[in-house]
Amino acid sequence: MNIIEIFRSSLPVLLEGLRMTIIITISSLLLAMVVGLLVSLLRLSGKKALDFLAKGYIDIIRGTPLIIQAFFLYFGLPDLLNLRISNLTAGIIIMTLNSGAYMAEVFRGGILSVDKGQTEAARSLGLPTGKTMRKVILPQAVKNMVPAFINQMIISLKDTSLLSVIGLGELTQKGQIIVASTYDSFEIYFIVGVMYFLLIKLLSLLGEAVERRLRV
């Protein structure tokens, strides 16, 4: 078969894998934003114990490979606790914890980039700390964080391919299944690569559009 015929025959399976990849990416990134914001606020709280815990989490995630985190959270921890979770749930948790550590530093950098005078002005108007963060600091910080957010989205999307090691049926794993049955490795991996490229290019264009909108 030529590559066009292979593409047609494998497309339904690959699209199912692509759908799973998108679900994992979006779900984990939304949760990672919450985790990242909370962890960044702990680091900025001024309390040494909270800063130590938050920094410890970030250092552990950033200092270990994602594939080891996947093995630990899907095989190691459930075995220790004598419980079982689905590979989809595990995949979302793994990507959330991994992305959350990087998001925390993005949030922290964005918040610190806002001039301290903004906080002082809000305080002089009688705004409490929580409202100052929500109404004054974060809206300005988010504008500075958009490029880093988009970059993390792209990294997370590509990193989902490593979840094939826990049997999760995302795009890479579906490609591996097709190759195992057809032996058309060059054609299938080429198609999978193109699908990743197009999706990442779409994310990049979306990020550029958001940046232009925010500048206006």
Side-chain angles (χ1 to χ4, degrees), residues 41-87:
L41 293 177
L42 291 180
R43 290 216 61 194
L44 296 169
S45 65
K47 298 180 180 180
K48 289 185 178 181
L50 297 179
D51 180 45
F52 177 79
L53 290 174
K55 194 172 186 301
Y57 158 67
I58 292 170
D59 287 345
I60 289 171
I61 295 298
R62 294 172 67 176
T64 55
L66 177 60
I67 193 169
I68 297 301
Q69 296 165 23
F71 283 139
F72 177 76
L73 290 169
Y74 186 65
F75 296 111
L77 196 59
D79 185 58
L80 177 66
L81 301 176
N82 195 27
L83 58 85
R84 288 292 176 265
I85 57 176
S86 69
N87 51 16

Side-chain angles (χ1 to χ4, degrees), residues 92-108:
I92 292 174
I93 293 173
I94 291 161
M95 295 305 302
T96 296
L97 293 176
N98 183 270
S99 299
Y102 294 93
M103 286 289 193
E105 291 299 274
V106 172
F107 273 111
R108 189 170 72 94

Side-chain angles (χ1 to χ4, degrees), residues 106 142-154 207 211 214:
V106 172
V142 166
K143 293 182 181 181
N144 301 328
M145 292 186 283
V146 168
F149 277 148
I150 298 300
N151 186 57
Q152 186 56 46
M153 288 176 67
I154 291 171
E211 284 188 74
L214 291 175

Side-chain angles (χ1 to χ4, degrees), residues 147-177:
F149 277 148
I150 298 300
N151 186 57
Q152 186 56 46
M153 288 176 67
I154 291 171
I155 292 172
S156 296
L157 175 61
K158 292 191 291 185
D159 282 350
T160 58
S161 63
L162 295 174
L163 297 178
S164 61
V165 299
I166 63 172
L168 190 56
E170 43 68 60
L171 181 56
T172 299
Q173 207 250 7
K174 292 295 186 183
Q176 291 173 333
I177 291 173

